[in-house]
Amino acid sequence: MSDVSLTDDQKILVNADADLFVAACPGAGKTRAMVARFLKRASEEDRRGIALVSFTNTAIDEVRTRCGDRSDVLSAPNFVGTFDAFLHRFIVTPLYVAFFKVHPRYVQSWSEVQGTKFRMATGKSADVDLEWFDFDDQLRATLDMGRVDRNFGNVEAREKLRGLRLEAEQRAAQVLRSLLQAGTVSCDTARFLAEIWISNDKYRPILGGLLRSRFAEIIVDEVQDCGREELLILEFLRGLGIRMVTVGDLDQAIYEFRSATPTKVLEFGTTLPLQPMLIENWRSSPAICAFNNSLRSRTMIERPVGDTAELGTPIYLVTYAKPDEILPSALSISKQYEVHTDELVLLAHRRKDALRAAGMAASGELGSNRVAAVADAGLKLRSAETDAVARRDAVRRVEKAILAVLADGGDLRFKSIEGACAELGIDERRLREVSVRMAVSLAAQGKTRSQFANEVRAYFRGVQWAELNVVEPELNGLGKLLQAPTEEVWNSISNCGRLPVQCSTVHGVKGREFKGVGIVIPKSLKPNEESGRTLLDDWEHGHDSESRRVLYVAGSRAKELLMVFVHQQHREQVARILEGSAVPIVQLKV
């Protein structure tokens, strides 16, 4: 990349010879500048490497693409990957193998593993979830009643659980030990283990020696998404003399569910000697920048300077009563501004709201039925507009269905998909291929639930199981294992066709941009448990909150056209907010 193509502010990021914390608005060209720095520094170092980490695979894929023909810099001693991948590879795995005598297999969350829930004698209630417990450095569990799911049971069931706290904590500790001994580790647990080992006087020097000899500098993209454990790791690396280059936007901190703490990130950033700002937005139109600025909680104000800087398109505020009214309106407005369907995306905080707006059911609404999983995966895989996360989740549900059949009653409760494959001797790549082939070969449209269930069972009987490196299973219990879904679940699948536009959660498109964006504000807005305020209350009265920042990230994905689809119950409040912030809007009702 030519240094001439960079602005003066971007050149500060590229050429700084000290630790720095860069605040950058969306569309400020931070990725271009970071890649330029990465290529420059990788060329300057003879022995040690440069690490460039971010928090999403999308962001990392973009970095790899922008490295162009410099594929040499993507291999050792350099590293380009997610923060989790960095943590797993260079901090957790080396000591995990020493502790547990098994190579770890990482899963995104415990929800991907069957054996992370257990029953307690609490009456009519759901299972107790491992996610409700904290653990200390001896792996002793402490139940946090504040995390207990609201659907767990009634007041009596919760009181019984409280009374059985000690037993529940003992059970949780046993479950965690079983998981770790099996080599299954969630991302949260990996951070927990990293914190333990970095804080331990015995193991800290071991890790320090490994990391100091490997890396000269770490470039952290989206630093605002760091939680306590990530900040601890960055402090640790900085203490080793590894140069620290951090870039982010605190108003884009949307990972509080993963303990991201933007205020702590700001405190960390102020300790770094250089703190430049990138406020020129090369992506969005003036109206979209005005929308974004109305949602900012910080002092930085973005300024449109790119090809869309003279565009006069307003923000469309569209009122709807039912979710199925959103898509026709989005298509109509987009056509008016020559935004093609492949340049348009519908976004929502919750996946099910985005899918409903696009005319599709969410996988989580389908229950645990394996036949439904196959039908749902086929629908999502055949649609080019389904986002990568939805496709991955759908395929993994099919993989679990196949493993359940092959296990033939075997206990896979404590196994991830990877761990189950290892135990059954199955090639993971082949399992994914068979899962995808099964899903796309069987179409649910125009069939009854019983007809489709029979097709799934027939497909199972015809699979060449040798492809998975397993002995031909007997398949005597297919009727029980592959039952037809309920009528309600089946209707939600079979009535869906190909998605006409892309749809996603806001988290799923972080780091991406689109010519047109439709944001869905649903009827149900969950109040914050502590403040009692909704997203719109925070937006109107200037309170910083994650839900407000999520909306900010959604709006900042748009380049030319931004449509806000708000349920009729909230129209007046949203209109008042936008007009009070001098955001140019056109109001429509569908």
Side-chain angles (χ1 to χ4, degrees):
M1 175 177 294
S2 171
D3 192 56
V4 177
S5 65
L6 300 170
T7 67
D8 290 341
D9 289 337
Q10 291 168 348
K11 289 177 183 178
I12 294 175
L13 193 163
V14 175
N15 298 317
D17 58 2
D19 295 343
L20 72 162
F21 176 80
V22 181
C25 76
K30 68 177 179 63
T31 303
R32 178 172 61 169
M34 283 190 304
V35 171
R37 181 179 181 90
F38 174 70
L39 295 175
K40 174 177 179 289
R41 293 288 292 116
S43 299
E44 292 172 347
E45 288 293 331
D46 293 329
R47 294 184 301 106
R48 295 193 295 168
I50 307 300
L52 195 161
V53 301
S54 191
F55 286 83
T56 66
N57 289 318
T58 299
I60 292 304
D61 289 343
E62 179 67 17
V63 168
R64 291 179 179 274
T65 299
R66 295 199 185 201
C67 285
D69 58 2
R70 290 292 309 277
S71 58
D72 57 300
V73 300
L74 299 177
S75 57
N78 302 312
F79 174 83
V80 175
T82 64
F83 205 117
D84 278 339
F86 179 89
L87 180 149
H88 297 167
R89 181 173 175 181
F90 300 109
I91 297 178
V92 177
T93 296
L95 291 180
Y96 192 99
V97 173
F99 267 85
F100 298 101
K101 310 304 180 186
V102 62
H103 198 281
R105 296 181 180 88
Y106 298 98
V107 295
Q108 191 63 36
S109 71
W110 289 133
S111 63
E112 298 180 22
V113 184
Q114 294 180 13
T116 58
K117 295 183 179 182
F118 53 89
R119 297 289 297 175
M120 297 289 294
T122 52
K124 294 182 178 180
S125 64
D127 292 342
V128 176
D129 196 322
L130 196 64
E131 302 279 7
W132 304 345
F133 297 84
D134 289 317
F135 297 87
D136 65 13
D137 58 0
Q138 300 299 313
L139 301 185
R140 292 173 296 215
T142 301
L143 174 62
D144 182 352
M145 290 297 298
R147 291 190 214 161
V148 176
D149 192 277
R150 62 175 59 187
N151 297 320
F152 170 71
N154 57 21
V155 174
E156 182 180 355
R158 288 173 177 270
E159 286 305 311
K160 286 184 178 180
L161 178 60
R162 198 184 302 273
L164 295 171
R165 175 190 293 269
L166 181 59
E167 181 184 344
E169 291 171 346
Q170 291 173 341
R171 290 276 300 277
Q174 292 170 356
V175 168
L176 181 63
R177 288 192 178 93
S178 297
L179 289 162
L180 296 180
Q181 289 166 0
T184 305
V185 191
S186 72
C187 287
D188 281 343
T189 303
R191 295 186 200 98
F192 161 69
L193 292 173
E195 181 178 9
I196 290 176
W197 288 330
I198 284 177
S199 302
N200 186 286
D201 290 340
K202 179 179 179 181
Y203 304 112
R204 184 182 179 93
I206 297 174
L207 291 171
L210 293 173
L211 290 163
R212 187 189 296 108
S213 64
R214 176 66 184 264
F215 295 108
E217 175 175 309
I218 180 168
I219 304 170
V220 184
D221 180 28
E222 307 288 5
V223 68
Q224 75 277 352
D225 293 327
C226 285
R228 179 172 51 83
E229 296 94 341
E230 287 91 354
L231 289 174
L232 178 67
I233 291 168
L234 294 185
E235 290 280 13
F236 175 51
L237 295 173
R238 190 182 178 200
L240 296 173
I242 297 173
R243 181 174 293 166
M244 191 67 48
V245 177
T246 61
V247 187
D249 179 357
L250 294 177
D251 281 312
Q252 293 192 63
I254 60 173
Y255 288 100
E256 285 185 3
F257 64 87
R258 204 174 63 186
S259 301
T261 50
T263 55
K264 294 295 183 183
V265 173
L266 180 60
E267 291 176 9
F268 171 77
T270 56
T271 67
L272 303 184
L274 297 178
Q275 300 168 35
M277 296 177 67
L278 303 179
I279 64 171
E280 294 179 330
N281 188 325
W282 296 82
R283 172 190 301 163
S284 302
S285 70
I288 295 170
C289 285
F291 177 87
N292 296 343
N293 287 329
S294 77
L295 284 157
R296 277 197 170 275
S297 301
R298 313 291 166 179
T299 57
M300 184 168 61
I301 300 296
E302 59 193 69
R303 179 166 57 90
V305 295
D307 294 338
T308 60
E310 302 299 324
L311 196 65
T313 306
I315 306 299
Y316 276 81
L317 179 61
V318 185
T319 305
Y320 71 92
K322 297 180 180 179
D324 59 10
E325 299 171 342
I326 295 173
L327 181 58
S329 179
L331 294 175
S332 175
I333 298 171
S334 298
K335 184 177 181 180
Q336 178 183 343
Y337 287 95
E338 299 182 349
V339 176
H340 194 268
T341 53
D342 61 4
E343 302 170 306
L344 174 66
V345 66
L346 295 178
L347 301 178
H349 195 161
R350 298 182 302 182
R351 181 174 300 280
K352 68 178 182 180
D353 292 324
L355 287 169
R356 285 171 178 170
M360 181 180 283
S363 296
E365 298 175 319
L366 303 178
S368 58
N369 184 273
R370 299 183 179 100
V371 171
V374 176
D376 177 64
L379 182 65
K380 289 183 168 62
L381 290 174
R382 280 188 290 272
S383 173
E385 285 72 29
T386 308
D387 67 71
V389 174
R391 285 199 190 97
R392 181 204 65 194
D393 291 346
V395 171
R396 289 182 75 85
R397 284 164 57 88
V398 178
E399 291 174 343
K400 290 179 181 179
I402 293 175
L403 290 171
V405 172
L406 294 179
D408 193 27
D411 188 2
L412 300 177
R413 291 175 302 154
F414 300 120
K415 299 292 183 182
S416 63
I417 288 176
E418 293 79 6
C421 285
E423 182 163 307
L424 296 172
I426 294 173
D427 185 306
E428 293 176 38
R429 184 172 59 84
R430 294 294 186 186
L431 173 64
R432 181 146 301 172
E433 291 175 357
V434 170
S435 300
V436 171
R437 195 157 57 239
M438 178 185 297
V440 299
S441 298
L442 301 173
Q445 280 69 33
K447 296 169 186 170
T448 68
R449 56 197 179 98
S450 297
Q451 287 173 335
F452 189 75
N454 286 331
E455 287 190 11
V456 173
R457 294 173 198 139
Y459 192 96
F460 265 85
R461 294 189 182 96
V463 170
Q464 299 298 312
W465 296 107
E467 291 185 33
L468 298 179
N469 195 34
V470 295
V471 178
E472 186 82 20
E474 294 185 6
L475 304 179
N476 293 324
L478 284 185
K480 182 177 180 181
L481 289 168
L482 299 173
Q483 297 179 6
T486 65
E487 195 70 39
E488 180 182 4
V489 167
W490 186 245
N491 287 338
S492 69
I493 299 173
S494 59
N495 292 335
C496 290
R498 181 180 179 274
L499 282 177
V501 298
Q502 302 173 75
C503 68
S504 176
T505 63
V506 179
H507 292 81
V509 296
K510 196 153 183 279
R512 298 180 63 189
E513 59 182 37
F514 303 86
K515 188 174 181 180
V517 170
I519 301 174
V520 179
I521 299 180
K523 177 181 179 180
S524 175
L525 295 176
K526 182 181 178 181
N528 182 277
E529 293 182 0
E530 294 182 5
S531 70
R533 298 187 303 266
T534 68
L535 151 69
L536 300 184
D537 296 331
D538 288 332
W539 188 8
E540 182 169 24
H541 301 293
H543 299 292
D544 185 22
S545 68
E546 184 178 59
S547 58
R548 176 177 169 175
R549 296 192 294 270
V550 168
L551 185 58
Y552 167 76
V553 170
S556 64
R557 301 308 93 197
K559 296 194 290 185
E560 298 183 14
L561 175 64
L562 178 60
M563 300 166 285
V564 180
F565 295 94
V566 58
H567 187 270
Q568 59 188 13
Q569 183 172 307
H570 309 298
R571 184 199 66 80
E572 290 186 8
Q573 188 175 12
V574 175
R576 186 169 63 243
I577 294 169
L578 292 175
E579 289 170 348
S581 300
V583 178
I585 63 172
V586 169
Q587 296 193 51
L588 298 176
K589 184 177 181 180
V590 296

